[in-house]
Amino acid sequence: MNRKRLAALLLAPVAAASLSGCGINSIPTAEENVKARWADVEADFQRRANLIPNIVATVQGAAASEKGILVGVTQARADATKIQVTGDQLSDPAAMQRFSEAQNRLTLSLQRLQEAYPQLQSQGNFKALITELEGTENRIAIAIRDYNSAVQGYNTRIRTFPDVIGAKVFYGAKPKVTYQAKTQNAEVAPPVSFDTNTAGH
């Protein structure tokens, strides 16, 4: 009886080390890191979405007759905020692509807004909002980079020995999808008109 207890005591650390070496703890830790980095991406996109109504209101006040581009920006924002990707969908390439395409359409629409209203660059409110928007775009780029780095670390971990054992046996882990800021449909932006001669007609 004493020998059995002694053997059990000696084998317990070995078993624990074996399990930890198979990713029993590192896999969920890596997955939670991926989800946390994705939450950062979503937060920065939401920050951009929250800023857009202020930009649109400023432009409306200065150029009320030109509504086409504002409708495009507003619609693109609405479309972008409708599409969400949960932590459980980070392994779904189709869901990630839908989210990416919606955000890309909004990015292009905002770029066209800036190009269409050069006369507003001198207005303090508009200039401050655009500066804040540019800062948000930088934050989005950094958040995407950090997310993709976390995905790369997770995907490498679940495919390499010894963690691949725990990934398959205990978790049924699937690779996460990196965020691609550029997609084949990124150039498809909401239809907007920049012809000021037709405004209000």
Side-chain angles (χ1 to χ4, degrees):
M1 189 70 174
N2 288 338
R3 287 181 181 178
K4 289 182 179 179
R5 286 183 180 175
L6 180 60
L9 288 173
L10 291 174
L11 289 175
V14 175
S18 297
L19 286 175
S20 64
C22 291
I24 197 74
N25 292 322
S26 59
I27 301 275
T29 299
E31 184 174 32
E32 289 305 312
N33 184 46
V34 169
K35 290 180 179 180
R37 299 292 75 77
W38 179 248
D40 291 342
V41 172
E42 288 188 308
D44 286 329
F45 275 127
Q46 185 60 51
R47 184 176 187 269
R48 178 174 72 168
N50 292 343
L51 178 62
I52 288 169
N54 294 328
I55 295 175
V56 170
T58 300
V59 175
Q60 282 177 328
S65 62
E66 297 182 30
K67 297 180 181 178
I69 192 168
L70 299 178
V71 170
V73 171
T74 302
Q75 184 60 51
R77 176 190 181 272
D79 292 343
T81 54
K82 283 180 189 174
I83 300 176
Q84 300 295 322
V85 175
T86 66
D88 294 333
Q89 293 176 301
L90 295 177
S91 297
D92 183 352
M96 292 294 286
Q97 183 175 357
R98 285 192 299 271
F99 184 90
S100 175
E101 288 175 353
Q103 296 298 335
N104 286 335
R105 285 193 293 271
L106 179 51
T107 297
L108 289 171
S109 188
L110 287 168
Q111 289 171 349
R112 291 182 179 183
L113 171 64
Q114 290 176 260
E115 293 167 2
Y117 290 97
Q119 70 273 20
L120 294 179
Q121 295 297 331
S122 61
Q123 293 188 13
N125 288 343
F126 184 77
K127 192 171 182 179
L129 288 168
I130 291 301
T131 299
E132 190 172 345
L133 179 62
E134 289 169 352
T136 300
E137 294 295 332
N138 289 335
R139 290 173 58 159
I140 288 171
I142 292 170
I144 289 172
R145 182 195 66 194
D146 292 345
Y147 167 75
N148 284 343
S149 177
V151 167
Q152 182 182 17
Y154 174 81
N155 289 347
T156 300
R157 185 175 291 279
I158 68 170
R159 291 174 175 167
T160 54
F161 186 82
D163 288 348
V164 66
I165 298 170
K168 290 185 177 180
V169 174
F170 295 106
Y171 301 112
K174 295 180 181 178
K176 303 299 183 187
V177 181
T178 56
Y179 184 86
Q180 302 297 325
K182 303 284 186 183
T183 66
Q184 60 182 1
N185 295 322
E187 71 280 2
V188 181
V192 293
S193 173
F194 304 108
D195 185 359
T196 56
N197 293 325
T198 61
H201 292 281

